[in-house]
Amino acid sequence: MPYAGGEKETLRASLDRHRDAVLWKLEGLDDEQLRRPVTPSGTNLLGLVKHLGSVEYGWFVGAFGGEVEPLWFDPYEDMMVGEDEPTSRITDFYGRARTAADRTISALSLDEQGRPAWREDDSVSLRWVLVHMIEETARHAGHMDILRELIDGATGDHRPG
């Protein structure tokens, strides 16, 4: 964490910390555990990762005119994971979304304006998107904390040591 870094570096490090926690929540679990609906709404760990990949593409890439890979799912139902979607397909998708988002973050200034396709009348700065995605990722990482604890008792937001 760059405790004395610039604004963009600090925001990016915060986002990466939460992104890494999301992936850490998957470690050591089998496919059934990753897909297990643990709440009445059906929320599961793998569905949250799929959702986060989808929103990284939407906010960081699509909103700033970048090319988003073709989605094989409805982005408004991105928390659902079908039996025909291997775990690796979801985690690889999240990795590609992160990489594409990072290219946008690196290439643009914090004041650069983008326009999400689903908000035709609103433009957003890259700064706003970074803050929003830190919030979004941290929120879902928190959900994942609870799901993981209910699955196998593991707690925490980072690897010990």
Side-chain angles (χ1 to χ4, degrees):
M1 178 64 103
Y3 294 111
E7 183 181 10
K8 186 192 258 189
E9 182 183 19
T10 300
L11 292 169
R12 172 92 176 264
S14 179
L15 178 60
D16 281 342
R17 181 173 183 266
H18 296 299
R19 286 166 157 178
D20 292 345
V22 163
L23 293 175
W24 177 64
K25 290 297 171 183
L26 306 180
E27 287 184 8
L29 297 179
D30 63 30
D31 198 58
E32 183 279 324
Q33 291 169 314
L34 293 172
R35 295 163 180 278
R36 183 185 303 165
V38 187
T39 65
S41 66
T43 303
N44 64 72
L45 292 169
L46 203 54
L48 287 167
V49 174
K50 183 178 176 183
H51 168 71
L52 286 169
S54 176
V55 296
E56 289 240 5
Y57 265 129
W59 281 110
F60 283 119
V61 182
F64 291 93
E67 188 173 332
V68 175
E69 71 177 78
L71 302 179
W72 70 92
F73 56 88
D74 179 341
Y76 294 102
E77 295 182 16
D78 59 3
M79 287 198 201
M80 307 299 288
V81 178
E83 290 182 23
D84 62 335
E85 296 176 281
T87 296
S88 62
R89 186 175 194 187
I90 306 292
T91 56
D92 291 351
F93 169 70
Y94 184 57
R96 290 190 306 275
R98 281 181 65 168
T99 298
D102 288 345
R103 280 194 300 270
T104 299
I105 295 165
S106 294
L108 302 178
S109 77
L110 292 174
D111 294 323
E112 187 77 29
Q113 297 290 303
R115 188 172 303 259
W118 60 95
R119 294 186 174 193
E120 293 179 18
D121 298 329
D122 296 325
S123 63
V124 293
S125 69
L126 179 61
R127 176 182 292 102
W128 185 91
V129 171
L130 270 162
V131 170
H132 173 70
M133 286 304 302
I134 291 167
E135 294 169 343
E136 177 88 0
T137 307
R139 176 176 176 244
H140 291 310
H143 294 143
M144 293 176 82
D145 287 340
I146 295 166
L147 298 179
R148 180 68 190 251
E149 184 175 1
L150 291 170
I151 290 168
D152 72 351
T155 61
D157 66 351
H158 61 280
R159 289 175 191 83

